[in-house]
Amino acid sequence: MSNDPLLQPYTLKHLTLRNRIIVTSHEPAYPEDGMPKERYRAYTLERARGGVALTMTAGSAAVSKDSPPVFNNLLAYKDEIVPWIREMTDAVHEEGAAIMIQLTHLGRRTRWDKGDWLPVVAPSHHREASHRSFPKKMEDWDIERIIKDFADAAERMKAGGMDGVELEAYGHLIDQFNSPLTNELDGPYGGSLENRMRFCFDVFKAMRARVGDDFILGVRYTADECLPGGTGKADGIEISRRLRDSGLIDYLNVIRGHIDTDAGLTDVIPIQGMANSPHLDFAGEIRAATQFPTFHAAKIPDVATARHAIAAGKVDMVGMTRAHMTDPHIVRKIIEKREEDIRPCVGANYCLDRIYQGGMAFCIHNAATGREQTMPHTIAKADTRKKVVIVGAGPAGLEAARVAAERGHAVVVFEAANDPGGQIRLTAQSERRREMISIIDWRMSQCEKLGVTFYFNNWADADMIAAEGPDVVIIATGGLPHTEVLSKGNELVVSSWDIISGDVKPGTNVLIFDDAGDHAGLQAAEFIAKTGAKVEIMTPDRSFAPEVMAMNLVPYMRSLQKLDVTFTVTYRLQSAEKSGNQIIAHVGSDYGGVTKQRTIDQIVINHGTIPLDDLYFEMKPGSKNLGEVSYDQLISGVPQTAERNPAGTYQLFRIGDAVAARNTHAAIYDALRLAKDI
Ligand SMILES: Cc1cc2nc3c(=O)[nH]c(=O)nc-3n(C[C@H](O)[C@H](O)[C@H](O)COP(=O)(O)O)c2cc1C
Ligand code: SF4
């Protein structure tokens, strides 16, 4: 038996967990009609197969109708959920993992214009900034109704074969009761700590009465809201002790912070550029103070830190949640002593930011996550070995190279630059986005192991490719910044990438025109403003940087608001002209009837990229398929068979931004779904 602290079993009441790594609750927004159907099951099962000890499925499954699914949560208040849960729990148990589910009432952390359009409820009228609802202050019958709803839902989950239920308290209704900031009820549920916690205990009592003792109950709660007037650390320790002493629950899952604002949420679930494991010591203090089973997750992305968390006795079970979205097979790789093969979570929070925009959670650099029914996490060998030539070593090209090499093909990659990475290499120059380079480094190390041949500093042409005698050519040459957006004065502008790469020196009074709304615009703004320059970010959109999304915006705002940066929405830069050593910018609006001017010394355009596709068109006449991709074959996951040119000698494809400007996830998905069937 291994002596790795992470691989030691753990006994939680009657349940033996096979190791110390858990996936904490997270709603990936995969439910269909509020039910965990095939997609959900396949996603959950992959992590069980990968070796995790306990998968805490669902995030915040709703127990009541007035807790509507604000990010497509499971509807635990419906009886029809039981058979769906049963299918999932049976499948997970067969893989040797335990499975629990998180139940919640969101309280004010939702919207009234979802689900059944019922008023949002909370123990006060205070609005939650993130979800914007003004709640109804709860009455006695609301309290009774919701306590019963929790008990009913817990019973359904037990009937569905779950090993236990965790209450999502933090930021949701239960902690809205516990916190003096959000509880303005009079006794018996408001006022003193004892009164405020009464709701939580009444919920646990009602659930325990229904599910009996042979069922795990736990709570994920904040033990320090980090807000003036809120639950502080001393209160948090007291709350933890009271939870333990209640005899109603089996473990504590510790959170530090508050989630009522984007900024607060980002401190609870830190993104790239923020410190790793920021709350681990705090969780350790709670464990020490309570001597009670303690779980915790918050940016513990690597095995070494997770091992430390267990070895140092900070926690009993360590959460590696996003890490498992990036690589569901972490435990298997630890057991097989292949830790270096673990695909690293880079903290991009593409997963989480998407669900807050109403999308499904996808991992920025694992396109199989959430698509387990169609996309493999482990690539199968091809029957016939082919020669695959790839041009471009950005994320798309490297993913195609990795997947084709896993298939057993002979793979050659040409790259014009000295180093791999493309746009990611530039992006990762910002200190805060440095972790992005792991997307490239991991693929390079996998490709090297698989024997892929790389030619850097090589501007591939048709002859060089022909000399390789390819069966398949994949063009992944990316794009070049697109700046020709003005009716006059295009020669006076530079691109956001010119600034990020350091090719162009920042001006002192700069207008950034950003209608791509992605990271490059804000990265350029930060780069320029940090030199002390004055920066105006202008967009014709209703909000700035919409593609950056909520949690990713937080570190930018924390930086940009301290600098000389202003934001102008709903205006469009139309043209520019020189005036001495200054530039006059002419500004209009899509709404019409407005003309304004700005006098500045630099204009930076962020308008995505235009495909670098010359080589593709050069290669097209010699190909069998003349570049055609059958979308039906692509989507149904079968090999491409288009034949348009009998004289052609190779199949030709292009992927990523060489087709059209999109994002890293799209580039990697293009590559995976094409190359897995070559
Ligand atoms: C897509 C997504 C959805 C999440 N939803 C929930 C949720 O509903 N309830 C919850 O307690 N935590 C939720 N979380 C937070 C995770 O459980 C975990 O605390 C967080 O990701 C930090 O741990 P990590 O750094 O190991 O990922 C979610 C996380 C992600 C990525
Ligand atoms: S999107 Fe980023 S944070 Fe989310 S799982 Fe993938 S790498 Fe990790």
Side-chain angles (χ1 to χ4, degrees):
M1 172 141 176
S2 164
N3 57 7
D4 186 339
L6 283 175
L7 298 181
Q8 304 311 307
Y10 182 73
T11 307
L12 181 65
K13 210 176 188 180
H14 54 273
L15 202 62
T16 303
L17 302 173
R18 59 182 164 179
N19 57 60
R20 299 305 184 94
I21 300 182
I22 58 171
V23 170
T24 56
S25 258
H26 60 292
E27 181 44 76
Y30 303 149
E32 293 156 70
D33 311 316
M35 298 295 128
K37 296 191 180 174
E38 290 77 8
R39 177 180 215 134
Y40 212 108
R41 185 164 65 241
Y43 168 78
T44 308
L45 194 55
E46 191 74 41
R47 276 129 202 94
R49 283 197 184 121
V52 76
L54 165 67
T55 176
M56 190 83 71
T57 187
S60 332
V63 299
S64 302
K65 288 194 178 69
D66 60 351
S67 173
V70 74
F71 36 81
N72 193 12
N73 315 53
L74 292 175
L75 305 181
Y77 58 81
K78 293 196 170 178
D79 289 337
E80 66 184 268
I81 200 169
V82 175
W84 292 110
I85 294 283
R86 171 56 75 179
E87 282 194 53
M88 183 159 61
T89 55
D90 282 351
V92 167
H93 285 144
E94 245 170 64
E95 295 297 335
I99 177 166
M100 290 179 53
I101 189 165
Q102 192 185 54
L103 295 179
T104 200
H105 192 295
L106 290 152
R108 63 179 193 153
R109 189 173 170 74
T110 183
R111 294 185 60 93
W112 47 267
D113 57 356
K114 299 258 172 198
D116 293 309
W117 283 60
L118 294 168
V120 161
V121 294
S124 76
H125 290 299
H126 295 305
R127 186 173 90 153
E128 195 220 54
S130 282
H131 291 85
R132 309 182 56 79
S133 298
F134 294 98
K136 170 196 163 183
K137 192 164 155 186
M138 288 167 77
E139 297 175 68
D140 47 3
W141 56 267
D142 287 315
I143 293 176
E144 284 163 27
R145 172 176 58 82
I146 292 171
I147 291 172
K148 179 175 177 302
D149 286 347
F150 269 108
D152 289 346
E155 196 174 344
R156 281 184 203 104
M157 296 307 126
K158 188 171 185 195
M162 286 285 173
D163 293 304
V165 156
E166 174 177 277
L167 283 198
E168 207 294 16
Y170 74 105
H172 294 201
L173 186 59
I174 292 189
D175 272 357
Q176 289 162 29
F177 270 88
N178 288 349
S179 169
L181 288 176
T182 42
N183 185 339
E184 290 188 345
L185 295 176
D186 300 324
Y189 290 96
S192 65
L193 178 63
E194 190 178 349
N195 282 358
R196 296 197 309 273
M197 287 191 78
R198 190 181 310 281
F199 180 68
C200 173
F201 288 133
D202 283 359
V203 166
F204 273 123
K205 273 183 214 151
M207 292 204 301
R208 192 49 97 191
R210 285 297 180 86
V211 296
D213 277 342
D214 59 340
F215 191 69
I216 305 292
L217 290 182
V219 61
R220 199 168 200 201
Y221 67 109
T222 181
D224 182 359
E225 278 187 290
C226 304
L227 276 177
T231 299
K233 184 172 166 181
D235 311 314
I237 290 178
E238 181 56 26
I239 287 173
S240 309
R241 291 198 175 119
R242 288 184 187 208
L243 285 165
R244 174 200 61 191
D245 294 342
S246 71
L248 292 164
I249 65 168
D250 305 305
Y251 73 90
L252 303 171
N253 190 351
V254 177
I255 292 284
R256 183 171 64 173
H258 60 101
I259 59 170
D260 53 329
T261 59
D262 292 344
L265 178 65
T266 309
D267 288 332
V268 170
I269 308 178
I271 73 167
Q272 57 186 209
M274 298 169 77
N276 279 358
S277 58
H279 311 309
L280 179 59
D281 289 342
F282 177 75
E285 287 180 56
I286 299 292
R287 182 174 185 260
T290 58
Q291 304 286 313
F292 201 59
T294 303
F295 299 4
H296 173 68
K299 202 171 188 242
I300 300 173
D302 59 297
V303 172
T305 312
R307 192 169 280 132
H308 160 75
I310 298 296
K314 305 272 178 198
V315 293
D316 297 284
M317 298 297 291
V318 59
M320 297 186 75
T321 304
R322 285 170 294 174
H324 272 84
M325 298 190 81
T326 325
D327 191 332
H329 301 153
I330 291 177
V331 175
R332 182 166 62 73
K333 290 177 183 175
I334 297 174
I335 293 169
E336 292 170 2
K337 303 212 178 309
R338 293 199 295 127
E339 281 174 33
E340 71 286 357
D341 285 335
I342 295 172
R343 187 187 316 223
C345 172
V346 298
N349 260 27
Y350 185 65
C351 49
L352 204 50
D353 267 338
R354 276 181 53 89
I355 69 163
Y356 283 109
Q357 300 226 135
M360 291 183 190
F362 291 127
C363 172
I364 196 167
H365 80 121
N366 186 347
T369 292
R371 299 192 182 95
E372 281 76 9
Q373 293 160 286
T374 54
M375 294 295 131
H377 283 282
T378 309
I379 310 291
K381 282 261 178 290
D383 295 336
T384 321
R385 184 172 157 92
K386 292 182 179 166
K387 180 73 183 270
V388 180
V389 174
I390 296 165
V391 186
L398 288 182
E399 175 72 348
R402 176 188 80 84
V403 176
E406 292 271 14
R407 298 274 291 147
H409 300 313
V411 182
V412 172
V413 180
F414 290 101
E415 165 58 49
N418 283 333
D419 297 299
Q423 284 180 33
I424 288 188
R425 184 157 292 279
L426 291 179
T427 293
Q429 293 197 354
S430 290
E431 184 59 20
R432 278 194 296 95
R433 303 204 78 210
R434 208 181 55 233
E435 287 162 63
M436 291 291 280
I437 204 65
S438 298
I439 294 175
I440 301 305
D441 290 347
W442 178 75
R443 286 184 169 72
M444 282 303 290
S445 75
Q446 293 293 298
C447 284
E448 276 156 21
K449 273 191 188 174
L450 293 162
V452 174
T453 306
F454 283 93
Y455 295 109
F456 289 103
N457 258 319
N458 260 283
W459 193 274
D461 59 26
D463 291 340
M464 287 162 75
I465 295 172
E468 296 287 335
D471 299 301
V472 180
V473 176
I474 300 177
I475 304 294
T477 40
L480 288 176
H482 186 189
T483 56
E484 306 258 313
V485 297
L486 306 184
S487 61
K488 206 172 81 186
N490 282 315
E491 70 287 358
L492 299 176
V493 310
V494 301
S495 76
S496 47
W497 293 103
D498 290 332
I499 298 288
I500 297 167
S501 64
D503 289 348
V504 170
K505 204 169 152 266
T508 57
N509 183 10
V510 181
L511 176 64
I512 298 183
F513 180 67
D514 179 12
D515 63 351
D518 56 12
H519 282 274
L522 294 188
Q523 276 187 266
E526 192 175 3
F527 195 92
I528 298 167
K530 277 190 168 165
T531 66
K534 181 173 156 52
V535 177
E536 178 181 5
I537 301 174
M538 178 181 287
T539 175
D541 297 327
R542 277 173 287 146
S543 63
F544 64 93
E547 308 298 331
V548 170
M549 303 191 278
M551 295 174 78
N552 270 280
L553 190 64
V554 171
Y556 284 115
M557 296 315 290
R558 284 183 171 160
S559 169
L560 295 176
Q561 285 189 336
K562 295 189 186 88
L563 302 167
D564 192 358
V565 178
T566 52
F567 301 89
T568 305
V569 295
T570 71
Y571 286 92
R572 183 179 286 282
L573 176 62
Q574 289 177 323
S575 63
E577 62 186 309
K578 198 109 185 112
S579 168
N581 59 359
Q582 300 287 296
I583 300 171
I584 311 271
H586 297 280
V587 175
S589 155
D590 295 352
Y591 300 90
V594 178
T595 39
K596 294 181 181 242
Q597 281 190 358
R598 301 281 195 273
T599 303
I600 65 267
D601 62 11
Q602 189 174 55
I603 293 178
V604 177
I605 303 284
N606 189 45
H607 185 73
T609 54
I610 197 117
L612 197 56
D613 53 13
D614 296 350
L615 184 61
Y616 168 78
F617 285 105
E618 201 184 328
M619 299 298 298
K620 203 170 157 175
S623 67
K624 290 184 197 168
N625 58 332
L626 298 181
E628 180 181 335
V629 180
S630 158
Y631 286 166
D632 287 340
Q633 289 174 334
L634 189 73
I635 290 165
S636 55
V638 295
Q640 294 288 321
T641 55
E643 292 269 0
R644 294 168 69 91
N645 174 21
T649 58
Y650 50 85
Q651 285 185 299
L652 174 69
F653 304 106
R654 66 178 162 146
I655 55 175
D657 284 3
V659 183
R662 284 165 291 161
N663 66 14
T664 305
H665 180 80
I668 284 173
Y669 187 24
D670 269 9
L672 172 65
R673 68 170 156 180
L674 180 79
K676 78 178 178 34
D677 295 315
I678 287 175

